[in-house]
Amino acid sequence: MIRRKVNQGINLEEYKDIWVIGEQREGKIHPVTIELIGEAKKLVEGTEKKVVAVVAGYDIDEEVNKLLYYGIDKAYYIKSPLLDVFSTDGYSKTIADLILEKKPEIVLVGATSIGRDIGPRIAAKIGTGLVADCTKLEMDPEDGKLLQTRPAFGGNLMATIVCPINRPQMATVRPGVMEKAVHESNPAGIIEEIAPVLKEDDIAAKVVEIIQSGKKRVNLTDAKIIVSGGRGIKGPEGFELIKALADKMGGEVGSSRACVDSGWIDHMHQVGQTGTTVRPEIYVACGISGAIQHLAGMSESKYIVAINTDPTAPIFRICDYGIVGDLKEVIPAMIDELDKTKE
Ligand code: FAD
């Protein structure tokens, strides 16, 4: 492993372009890839830099081709039967090798379970830094360095971090934070297949079997409507009311961390800094105070509706519609009104 704490003769000028590490699961591109491409395209605006996606896998030619429709200049498709199933060793080695060879200036990785696994390993292999869980990325107008902003100290302040002397500059970004790239009808980019140097022995862990979780997955990232419950629902049974409103509105059920920590609902429903980042059309916060860590995951929602008995609750400072009242009375009244409009 090469580790560079200081610039050991790196010529920063040699590093070009912005790479997005494309994530695929069972042959399907993860939506965070399209979000990162959208962000990379914003970052290259007004520069000569190119947006390049890198996807490792096997037999996913069609999915890689689909990426071209999001306006990328190039896709590197690292193709090998040994990359058919995700492995930490196989993916991090082959992507790190390609980075060392091609020298991108910036590498963006989704902060998914796979991205969090391989991102830091790739950074360590190539001897650069990585800023995890960025919520904002900008180019410094003075020197063109990447300004990587992320919550720090439990979300109480935002820290902007630069990687001044090593390359590439690497960042992970959580799903749902950045806007997706627009689908275009005439792709101009190209795909370059890469045959990696990879042996079976390079992959320490062998996947014996993949067993799907029995739990019904909740897709908060793409949900247009989310009704979330907080400690104000008073217990796990309170989610029956939350679900009734979510079903009536055609939305998903979200939660604050207080309910997850109390064991009232699974973590996959948690919205916030340590949960999912969401940007639905409508977010209904029921019995949620509006702690900064919760707001970090939902403040980009188009319309926020808050129901809370405490008129001084911080959630009322950011909501579009605030209802001061007991959710046990307000939610049934909302359901009744929705029933009336459907009649
Ligand atoms: P509370 O703050 O206890 O608020 C409950 C609210 O319900 C109150 O405002 C009360 O007035 C109202 N209420 C009570 N009864 C009723 C009723 N009958 N009708 C209507 N309203 C009622 N939190 C997250 O949510 N997501 C995260 O990802 C997250 N990550 C964190 C990461 C770190 C590092 C830390 C330190 C904390 C994190 N937290 C997160 C926790 C966060 O700080 C808060 O503790 C949490 O969001 C509080 O949840 P809550 O609003 O449900 O509960």
Side-chain angles (χ1 to χ4, degrees):
M1 184 193 296
I2 313 157
R3 223 173 233 285
R4 277 191 299 261
K5 292 232 165 62
V6 290
N7 182 331
Q8 295 174 340
I10 294 175
N11 177 4
L12 301 187
E13 300 298 313
E14 284 179 12
Y15 291 78
K16 308 240 178 304
D17 303 335
I18 303 193
W19 282 19
V20 167
I21 305 302
E23 184 171 328
Q24 55 96 5
R25 293 183 187 195
E26 291 168 18
K28 291 274 167 272
I29 295 290
H30 191 286
V32 73
T33 306
I34 314 300
E35 294 164 15
L36 295 181
I37 291 173
E39 187 59 17
K41 286 177 72 180
K42 279 190 207 150
L43 291 171
V44 298
E45 264 169 32
T47 74
E48 299 284 297
K49 296 181 212 308
K50 298 200 162 36
V51 175
V52 178
V54 180
V55 189
Y58 188 63
D59 207 11
I60 51 164
D61 305 40
E62 261 180 51
E63 285 295 294
V64 178
N65 194 49
K66 281 183 195 165
L67 290 180
L68 299 183
Y69 287 84
Y70 292 95
I72 57 172
D73 298 286
K74 188 175 204 175
Y76 287 120
Y77 174 16
I78 310 176
K79 190 173 179 181
S80 162
L82 294 173
L83 298 172
D84 191 20
V85 175
F86 171 77
S87 69
T88 306
D89 294 333
Y91 278 49
S92 53
K93 178 188 183 304
T94 53
I95 295 170
D97 286 349
L98 197 65
I99 291 174
L100 286 173
E101 184 192 331
K102 306 283 183 189
K103 297 190 169 55
E105 187 186 356
I106 293 170
V107 175
L108 305 180
V109 186
T112 57
S113 48
I114 287 182
R116 284 169 199 242
D117 184 350
I118 60 171
R121 285 180 168 83
I122 293 170
K125 278 182 200 295
I126 61 181
T128 192
L130 178 143
V131 182
D133 281 355
C134 295
T135 51
K136 191 171 158 197
L137 297 170
E138 286 169 294
M139 292 294 203
D140 188 324
E142 307 235 311
D143 58 14
K145 291 198 180 74
L146 184 66
L147 304 174
Q148 304 162 87
T149 303
R150 56 151 296 150
F153 295 102
N156 288 310
L157 61 85
M158 301 302 280
T160 299
I161 300 163
V162 288
C163 178
I165 51 175
N166 285 320
R167 289 291 176 272
Q169 304 162 89
M170 282 188 73
T172 65
V173 179
R174 295 172 61 185
V177 172
M178 304 300 182
E179 273 181 69
K180 282 188 178 145
V182 178
H183 191 273
E184 297 173 4
S185 43
N186 294 315
I190 53 160
I191 298 173
E192 186 178 331
E193 268 188 35
I194 305 288
V197 179
L198 184 68
K199 304 183 296 305
E200 226 168 316
D201 289 351
D202 292 327
I203 303 170
K206 305 284 174 238
V207 178
V208 180
E209 193 185 352
I210 297 171
I211 302 167
Q212 299 293 345
S213 156
K215 284 181 199 159
K216 184 181 169 282
R217 297 299 307 169
V218 48
N219 185 359
L220 291 179
T221 312
D222 291 333
K224 294 272 174 271
I225 297 172
I226 297 174
V227 182
S228 276
R231 210 192 313 262
I233 65 167
K234 307 277 168 37
E237 58 290 340
F239 275 107
E240 285 166 27
L241 205 50
I242 302 295
K243 186 165 183 325
L245 181 58
D247 287 347
K248 192 60 67 185
M249 295 176 74
E252 296 276 9
V253 171
S255 170
S256 74
R257 177 162 155 180
C259 305
V260 174
D261 286 351
S262 304
W264 300 349
I265 194 163
D266 192 275
H267 177 262
M268 72 173 106
H269 292 269
Q270 185 182 315
V271 172
Q273 190 186 316
T274 42
T276 305
T277 304
V278 300
R279 47 166 75 223
E281 299 283 314
I282 305 175
Y283 187 87
V284 188
C286 311
I288 293 177
S289 60
I292 189 156
Q293 296 89 355
H294 189 80
L295 304 187
M298 45 65 76
S299 58
E300 292 295 313
S301 307
K302 191 158 182 198
Y303 293 105
I304 298 171
V305 181
I307 306 166
N308 200 303
T309 42
D310 176 5
T312 67
I315 192 82
F316 286 131
R317 280 186 233 136
I318 65 135
C319 72
D320 299 282
Y321 299 95
I323 304 166
V324 179
D326 187 331
L327 62 90
K328 285 201 215 73
E329 291 164 18
V330 176
I331 293 178
M334 285 172 81
I335 292 173
D336 279 353
E337 284 302 314
L338 286 164
D339 281 339
K340 278 186 212 157
T341 56
K342 279 190 183 147
E343 273 163 17

